[in-house]
Amino acid sequence: GRTATRREAAAALLPADVDGLLVTRPENVRYLSDFTGSNGALLLIRGETPVLATDGRYILQAAVEAPDVEVVETARVGPALVDGAARSGRARIGIEAHHLTVEALQALETVADGRVELVPAGRLVEGLRVVKDASEVEALRRACAATDRALAAMLTLLKIGMTERDAEWALLGALRAAGADGASFPSIVAFGANAASPHHHPSGTLLCRGDLIKLDFGAMVDGYHADMTRTVVMGPAAAWQRELHGAVRAIQADLATAVSPGAIPAELDADMRQRIGAARHHVSHGLGHGVGLEIHEDPFLTERSPASALEAGMVVTIEPGIYLEGRGGVRIEDTVLVTDSGAESLTTSPRDLIEI
């Protein structure tokens, strides 16, 4: 199956002098086994049946979700797998150093007790997750379609006098009605001047006529996250709101079109920065990020991104924004699939300024 193919790819990336990989990051455990429980670790040894450790709460679930791996019942999942590796004579096991806490690493080293060496394996599984396979793209398509449906419903639910929190709850209901398993992340709902804060937390602020409304949200489907932002106006738009929205709309359209195999993330981000700067506005955040089993994952489209180019099968957000303190702000964001020839926006809601 697909997880077996992924596990083979992960094992192939291990250095020759490393016997196996201990996977502890929940998203990576899920990617390599389909196991979704909150306490699990996976031990990959080349050419052998993988071992999944989890506790008694998840034994039945593990048997259903990951039928092709060996399951070990234990509360201390990482140490149990390290002990098993040591007992079977393994010399070196790769670990996810970027995920383990100091305490968790000490627990593993205590069990290893010199019998097996634990070596950082880097972001090996994350590197595989960057390019989505067909099943992942399908889940992301469904998540994005549910997100589009939820926005359409939401535009009929926004009413003068409701609070941002009211709207946030209405949006959650719209996501569930649209077929989402839940929200990808806590939705950002910002009215009026609050829209000037890129990551505003919904408050008791009331919706007034003439307010900009920024909605940044997404549906989660089968563990995969969608991410979309649209900015609309309650009632007729003022000239400055049209101008601001038009500026962001043009930048977002051009950069979404610029996404293609071979495009360099930092260069795309630099293009956004240059254009927002040319319009004499401040740049508050990077152009975008990868989405998949996590809402923010590689590749990141920022000025600090590594030099590696985008490849077909990657899925990224394109989300420029311009924010005017005390007045409001506009962000337009789509989840975009890199294709062989260019890009396809998986979120398709209207990007022109909507007056409710």
Side-chain angles (χ1 to χ4, degrees):
R2 64 185 185 202
T3 53
T5 305
R6 294 170 185 174
R7 291 193 297 265
E8 285 166 16
L13 290 174
L14 285 171
D17 63 347
V18 175
D19 299 320
L21 177 67
L22 176 67
V23 183
T24 50
R25 268 201 98 194
E27 296 85 1
N28 293 343
V29 171
R30 178 172 187 161
Y31 181 75
L32 296 173
S33 70
D34 280 339
F35 176 68
T36 65
S38 68
N39 186 29
L42 187 70
L43 181 65
L44 299 185
I45 303 286
R46 280 191 204 82
E48 295 191 11
T49 303
V51 183
L52 172 71
T54 187
D55 64 63
R57 296 171 296 168
Y58 296 118
I59 292 299
L60 295 176
Q61 181 178 325
V64 172
E65 291 179 337
D68 58 344
V69 305
E70 180 187 335
V71 179
V72 172
E73 182 178 346
T74 172
R76 300 181 72 227
V77 294
L81 292 177
V82 167
D83 183 55
R87 286 172 185 274
S88 58
R90 309 298 172 190
R92 306 179 86 211
I93 295 292
I95 55 171
E96 297 190 307
H98 58 289
H99 170 250
L100 294 169
T101 61
V102 174
E103 187 176 301
L105 177 60
Q106 287 170 341
L108 296 181
E109 287 177 334
T110 299
V111 168
D113 195 25
R115 297 176 298 164
V116 57
E117 186 186 355
L118 304 175
V119 295
R123 295 172 181 265
L124 189 147
V125 183
E126 285 85 351
L128 291 174
R129 284 171 44 201
V130 167
V131 174
K132 287 9 183 205
D133 63 30
S135 67
E136 293 182 286
V137 171
E138 180 55 32
L140 285 161
R141 279 188 191 285
R142 287 164 52 214
C144 288
T147 304
D148 284 325
R149 287 194 294 273
L151 178 71
M154 195 62 201
L155 294 179
T156 69
L157 299 172
L158 289 163
K159 299 284 182 280
I160 288 170
M162 79 190 307
T163 67
E164 290 170 343
R165 280 198 210 94
D166 292 337
E168 179 192 15
W169 276 104
L171 185 51
L172 194 56
L175 284 165
R176 294 302 296 267
D181 298 331
S184 277
F185 55 95
S187 302
I188 297 168
V189 176
F191 297 160
N194 291 346
S197 170
H199 273 209
H200 176 69
H201 187 70
S203 69
T205 300
L206 298 174
L207 180 55
C208 300
R209 184 175 170 81
D211 277 353
L212 280 172
I213 303 168
K214 184 178 67 192
L215 302 168
D216 182 347
F217 66 102
M220 183 153 65
V221 172
D222 289 343
Y224 284 82
H225 299 71
D227 197 353
M228 181 174 79
T229 308
R230 292 293 185 266
T231 307
V232 301
V233 179
M234 194 72 213
W240 72 270
Q241 292 172 328
R242 287 188 178 284
E243 187 182 334
L244 190 63
H245 192 280
V248 175
R249 170 86 179 85
I251 294 170
Q252 202 268 347
D254 287 352
L255 284 163
T257 306
V259 169
S260 63
I264 308 296
E267 291 177 8
L268 294 172
D269 180 77
D271 187 14
M272 175 197 73
R273 288 173 188 278
Q274 188 272 322
R275 296 194 39 181
I276 291 178
R280 292 191 168 80
H281 291 297
H282 172 69
V283 178
S284 301
H285 54 75
L287 176 61
H289 54 86
V291 282
L293 285 170
E294 293 174 273
I295 186 61
H296 299 114
E297 61 181 45
D298 290 329
F300 287 86
L301 279 56
T302 70
E303 52 193 347
R304 297 178 305 283
S305 295
S308 47
L310 296 179
E311 297 173 43
M314 291 182 177
V315 178
V316 297
T317 66
I318 299 294
E319 50 177 306
I322 299 176
Y323 311 93
L324 307 180
E325 190 177 346
R327 298 179 79 187
V330 172
R331 179 163 67 250
I332 302 173
E333 173 187 22
D334 284 303
T335 296
V336 176
L337 169 68
V338 185
T339 65
D340 290 329
S341 57
E344 176 195 352
S345 186
L346 301 183
T347 43
T348 61
S349 295
R351 297 170 190 91
D352 294 324
L353 182 59
I354 293 172
E355 298 167 300
I356 299 173

